[in-house]
Structure formats: C-alpha cells, structure tokens
Amino acid sequence: MSSEHNAGPCSGWWCLRAVPSYFFDARGGRMRFLSVLGLKPKSIVVDGTPPASLGRFLQKLTLAEFQEAEALMKALSEENLERLIASFADLEEAADLASAWQSARPSSALAHTVLGACLITAGWKRRGSSYAEDVDEAQWAPFLEYLERAQSVLNAAVALDPSSSAALGWLILAKVGGTGEREEIERLFAEATGRVPMHWPSHWRYFMATTEKWGGSHREMFAFANAVSAKAGKGSILHSLLAAAYCEFALAEGHAGLKQMRSLENAERVRVALYKWLAATPATLDEKLEQVSGGFSAMAINHFAAACYLCGAFPEARSLVNALHDEIETVPWCWIAKGVKEQANPGFVFDRVKRELATAAG
C-alpha cells in the first residue's frame, strides 16, 4: 500500500473546508427559483463547518497565550478536540502559529501534535486531492518531506505525553497517506488503543487503511468495522464506521454493487449500529437525531443516511435525511452520484435519494 496507489485527502474526514452559510443565504431567493427549475439542487452542501472553539483558540495562539490555548483544548471532548486540530491546521497561518507555540513550549505534547497536524495538512495541499496517478510528479518529493517532518514532531509528542493518543492518530494518517507500511500502521494503532482503547481518531485512520482504495479489501474493512461496532458501547461514534464501510463499498463497486448491499441482513446491521450510536429506539430516533451535535455527528448522520438508503433500511434513512434539513456534506453523497449533473453537485444526489425514499415501501 504505497503512495503510488492511494486516494486523495478529500476521501477522508480530515479534509475540512468551512463553507459559510451566508454564501448560500445571500442568493437564497435566486437559488430557490433555480431549484424549482431543476437547475440548482434543493439541498445545499456545507463541508467542514469549523467548531465554535476555533475562533477562541486562534485568538489565544495569535496573542501567544499558549497556556490558555492548552487549557481550552484540554477541556474539549475527544471528538471536539480532533475537530479543532483539523480545522485549525487548515488555516493559512496555522503552521507559523503552531511553530511559535512549539518553540515557546518545547515540553508541550499538544503543541507538537498541532504542529504535526499542520505539516500533514500543508503536505496534502501541496500534493492536491487527486488520485495518486493524477498527481504532478514534481509534488511528490515536497509532499513526502512534509510527512517526514510531521512524523518527527508527532513522535516527540508521543514521548511527551504517554497517556494521550492524539499524536498517534495523526501518525497513522501520515503513514496511510505516505509510504503506507502496514506493519507500522498496525503498530501505531496498537499503541494508540493501548493508551485509549476506543480512541475515535485512531480507529478512523486505521479504518482508512483497511479500505480498498488505500490498499485494503472489502473483507478486511467490514471485518474491522463490525468488530469495532460489536465492542463499542452505546453512544460511541465508533458505530459510524460500519456506515462508512457501506459507503466505501458503494464508492468502490459503483451502482453495480447496490444489489449486493440492499438486503435484509445489511439493513439490519446498519440499523443496529445506528441505534447503538444514538442510544435510541425506533420510537426515540427522531428526537435523538435532533439532539445530537458537536464532534463528528454531522459526518456520522451523512454516512448513516447514505448507508441506510443503500442497504434498504428505509424508515431509518428517512429519519436521517430529515435530520439533515437539506444541508449535507460532499462525502458520501458524491460517491453515489449518477450522471453529470449529480457529479457536478452532490446536492442533486441527496434530492434524488429524498424522492426515492418518499415512494419506497417500508
């Protein structure tokens, strides 16, 4: 599994882009009119909305208030911490701010982790999001150089805080996107889960390594996702790995794979994972979906909505689609696009799925 064969970063959650809602609202009337004509989708794509903590965190680093920045980070949940790091790393000024922080506080594991994340993100920006065979040859060397620098910084973070798995999750990402040595990825995952057994970011990055597009296989991917969901407790975001697996299968197999996915067995599996994630029942599903927020809940709802639709769990798919309120993320809807129009805007995919669910039995 080398960098010569892997996919671009926009196939994973860490490719975060903030799309402000006012971009859509400013022309809302015109867009609704075009939607009626079928020239614009009724739903809108909102990728990578930054967490509320990003503004405060950026302010603290800009003012060199590093202790306060760390206190802010330590108060966050595991999911929200990871969202903050990924969102911050995507900013143009992030690497310089993180470097100044790391220089001022050389014993801070968080400073090293954030700087490593910034270097990985900068490397992906240099490489581009295309599949490997379409990447400019001149970009490979600087891309891999960024990843090597990131790994050096992240390894220091691992040593500085033996209780944290945050840096290990980013190290897994560096390996998956870089040279991709599977033994090293497995070692890093084992160390991460040895520290924090159900660490979400490390599980997600390892899950990436099991997918076909990153050198794994469908069998391995589903085995991992099913095993993790089986041991994860109620309320754990880890259950969304199973939904992600069905979406990855759809990406790899195309529309020909739909017949394999749409079965009572698959519908039940994804349904069970959904209810475990939300700690819900069919009677409380809609209420729980309206209550869930923060972390990677938007990503999970998008993936569960697509997976339930693909597998034939239509009642749950309708609830999930309704919970999105016509605001979707690009992934996974772009993976099940049909025709040029849907490929150009995943909002059209979502509109089609809504129409199909409205008439589907069950």
Side-chain angles (χ1 to χ4, degrees):
M1 184 177 61
S2 72
S3 59
E4 296 179 356
H5 302 291
N6 57 28
C10 286
S11 55
W13 66 263
W14 75 92
C15 183
L16 297 174
R17 296 292 184 270
V19 182
S21 60
Y22 61 75
F23 175 81
F24 301 101
D25 295 338
R27 297 183 299 154
R30 178 169 175 263
M31 292 188 71
R32 283 192 294 273
F33 175 72
L34 292 174
S35 295
V36 172
L37 297 179
L39 301 177
K40 291 283 185 180
K42 294 181 175 64
S43 53
I44 61 174
V45 178
V46 183
D47 279 328
T49 303
S53 57
L54 179 59
R56 299 195 305 277
F57 181 68
L58 179 60
Q59 180 186 49
K60 297 301 181 186
L61 291 189
T62 302
L63 297 174
E65 297 176 350
F66 302 127
Q67 186 171 347
E68 291 83 350
E70 291 193 29
L72 186 156
M73 296 182 79
K74 290 177 179 178
L76 297 174
S77 68
E78 177 183 287
E79 287 182 57
N80 285 326
L81 173 62
E82 204 64 22
R83 276 195 69 208
L84 173 60
I85 294 173
S87 297
F88 172 77
D90 194 49
L91 300 176
E92 184 177 349
E93 65 270 38
D96 289 339
L97 289 172
S99 182
W101 178 18
Q102 186 260 345
S103 296
R105 296 176 68 86
S107 62
S108 168
L110 281 173
H112 283 77
T113 300
V114 172
L115 178 56
C118 291
L119 292 170
I120 290 173
T121 304
W124 275 109
K125 288 182 178 180
R126 185 69 181 267
R127 176 197 182 277
S129 61
S130 301
Y131 279 90
E133 58 267 25
D134 298 322
V135 174
D136 184 344
E137 285 294 328
Q139 302 308 323
W140 278 114
F143 168 64
L144 293 174
E145 182 181 344
Y146 271 111
L147 295 189
E148 288 177 8
R149 290 169 58 197
Q151 288 174 71
S152 176
V153 174
L154 291 167
N155 279 320
V158 171
L160 285 167
D161 187 355
S163 68
S164 173
S165 294
L168 286 159
W170 284 94
L171 275 169
I172 295 171
L173 175 57
K175 286 296 181 183
V176 173
T179 52
E181 305 101 326
R182 190 54 181 273
E183 289 185 5
E184 180 64 7
I185 291 171
E186 291 181 355
R187 184 193 70 77
L188 291 168
F189 180 67
E191 184 172 356
T193 52
R195 294 180 174 197
V196 183
M198 306 307 287
H199 188 241
W200 155 249
S202 296
H203 278 81
W204 178 258
R205 272 72 174 260
Y206 186 83
F207 168 79
M208 286 164 48
T210 69
T211 63
E212 188 175 80
K213 71 186 178 193
W214 290 97
S217 67
H218 295 328
R219 181 184 296 275
E220 181 184 11
M221 173 183 69
F222 277 110
F224 179 71
N226 278 305
V228 171
S229 185
K231 66 181 180 181
K234 287 185 177 181
S236 173
I237 189 72
L238 287 170
H239 294 294
S240 68
L241 290 180
L242 187 58
Y246 283 112
C247 294
E248 289 282 352
F249 183 85
L251 171 66
E253 299 302 320
H255 299 294
L258 181 59
K259 290 183 179 179
Q260 299 179 56
M261 298 178 68
R262 192 155 289 175
S263 69
L264 292 175
E265 181 180 7
N266 287 334
E268 182 61 18
R269 283 179 178 173
V270 73
R271 183 183 292 119
V272 168
L274 170 66
Y275 286 124
K276 289 175 71 176
W277 168 49
L278 294 170
T281 65
T284 63
L285 178 59
D286 291 341
E287 179 184 0
K288 292 282 189 175
L289 283 169
E290 291 299 327
Q291 292 173 349
V292 69
S293 63
F296 292 93
S297 57
M299 185 214 73
I301 294 175
N302 276 269
H303 279 76
F304 266 117
C308 286
Y309 159 74
L310 291 166
C311 294
F314 295 140
E316 288 75 17
R318 292 189 191 99
S319 291
L320 288 154
V321 162
N322 290 337
L324 288 169
H325 301 293
D326 289 331
E327 293 188 359
I328 65 167
E329 296 183 348
T330 298
V331 174
W333 304 104
C334 66
W335 292 353
I336 57 174
K338 294 180 179 179
V340 175
K341 187 169 76 170
E342 290 190 358
Q343 290 170 1
N345 190 324
F348 286 117
V349 182
F350 188 73
D351 290 351
R352 169 175 57 82
V353 169
K354 286 182 67 176
R355 291 193 301 270
E356 292 182 13
L357 288 173
T359 59

